[in-house]
Amino acid sequence: MTARKEFDHGLEELRELLLAMGAHVQNALRDSLKALQTLDVVEATRIVNADVELNRLDEKVSELGARLIATQQPVAKDLRRILIAFKISNDLERMGDLSVDIAKVVKRLEGQTLIKPIIDLPRMGETVQSMTKEAIQSFVQENVDLAYKMAKDDDQVDALYGEIIRELFELMSKDPSTIAQASQLSFVGRYVERIGDYATNIGENVVYLVTGKRPELNA
């Protein structure tokens, strides 16, 4: 195998690892919000325990990328591809942690009755799941248009988050007994919103990879 083919094979492995991490994050976010809707503590515990797999994938990205740099000595855009893969892996690991934080909220609410049906948070989560998938696709395909789409999607997430917070504050003002649970639900909204921010950050890194310029998609 030539040096170039070996390097390209390594890059493909990196892409596959990031795709696997992205799928894990999408599933963890979807499942944690579903567990919240029914306060399924057993499912929440499974999500928390499964986070070790995402950490393992993150470590494999670091090891493979470091090996490619050491053995292939890439320059210019090839080096940027690896360095940005590191950043994306780190963002995905944090997104996974936030999904775990949602599952932990479910565990804290064990035995309670929900103060309101959980509808808007899953809607928010669906948009963020799509953002996560498209963010990874934008890296794999080096697709700038898809990367820029993150900003528009993130605006939708921010708008939903604002609606959720306003509704929770209204509930708390009318009935102080809801404050503790409403606060936990507001944390969940913040976690989902932050996952969307990380997906947008991946989009920014892809634009930098392709163009060499750092955009501000959140601006």
Side-chain angles (χ1 to χ4, degrees), residues 14-206:
L14 274 179
R15 295 185 187 107
E16 291 297 328
L17 286 169
L18 292 175
L19 284 167
M21 290 184 73
H24 182 106
V25 169
Q26 292 170 65
N27 292 336
L29 176 57
R30 180 199 64 215
D31 293 345
S32 62
L33 289 172
K34 187 176 179 181
L36 180 65
Q37 288 179 295
T38 57
L39 294 184
D40 187 340
V41 175
V42 173
E43 176 66 1
T45 302
R46 183 196 66 77
I47 294 164
V48 172
N49 293 337
D51 190 54
V52 65
E53 172 62 16
L54 187 65
N55 295 335
R56 185 185 68 81
L57 291 169
D58 181 39
E59 289 172 4
K60 289 185 72 173
V61 169
S62 297
E63 292 168 1
L64 176 56
R67 187 169 76 246
L68 285 173
I69 291 173
T71 60
Q72 304 297 315
Q73 299 181 336
V75 295
K77 194 170 183 179
D78 282 336
L79 180 59
R80 283 213 306 271
R81 286 187 177 100
I82 297 173
L83 296 179
I84 287 172
F86 287 157
K87 291 182 178 181
I88 293 173
S89 180
N90 187 54
D91 284 343
L92 287 167
E93 195 274 332
R94 291 177 179 178
M95 292 158 82
D97 287 344
L98 288 163
S99 298
V100 166
D101 287 338
I102 296 171
K104 289 179 178 177
V105 167
V106 176
K107 296 180 74 171
R108 285 196 288 272
L109 297 180
E110 182 177 9
Q112 297 186 28
T113 300
L114 289 170
I115 57 175
K116 66 181 293 294
I118 306 298
I119 298 171
D120 289 337
L121 285 169
R123 284 175 56 205
M124 221 177 134
E126 286 174 5
T127 301
V128 172
Q129 287 170 56
S130 295
M131 287 176 68
T132 303
K133 181 178 181 180
E134 291 177 347
I136 305 304
Q137 286 178 338
S138 72
F139 174 73
V140 170
Q141 301 168 5
E142 298 191 8
N143 185 329
V144 172
D145 291 336
L146 198 55
Y148 273 112
K149 183 176 179 289
M150 296 299 102
K152 292 181 180 179
D153 291 343
D154 197 45
D155 288 342
Q156 295 179 20
V157 172
D158 290 343
L160 271 173
Y161 176 55
E163 290 176 16
I164 290 166
I165 293 302
R166 282 192 294 274
E167 185 177 354
L168 289 172
F169 272 114
E170 186 176 339
L171 274 174
M172 288 188 282
S173 63
K174 288 181 178 178
D175 184 359
S177 70
T178 65
I179 289 176
Q181 188 182 126
S183 297
Q184 293 296 320
L185 295 177
S186 70
F187 292 155
V188 171
R190 177 59 176 161
Y191 299 149
V192 178
E193 191 266 344
R194 287 294 296 141
I195 294 172
D197 286 345
Y198 279 119
T200 304
N201 192 49
I202 292 173
E204 290 180 359
N205 279 314
V206 171

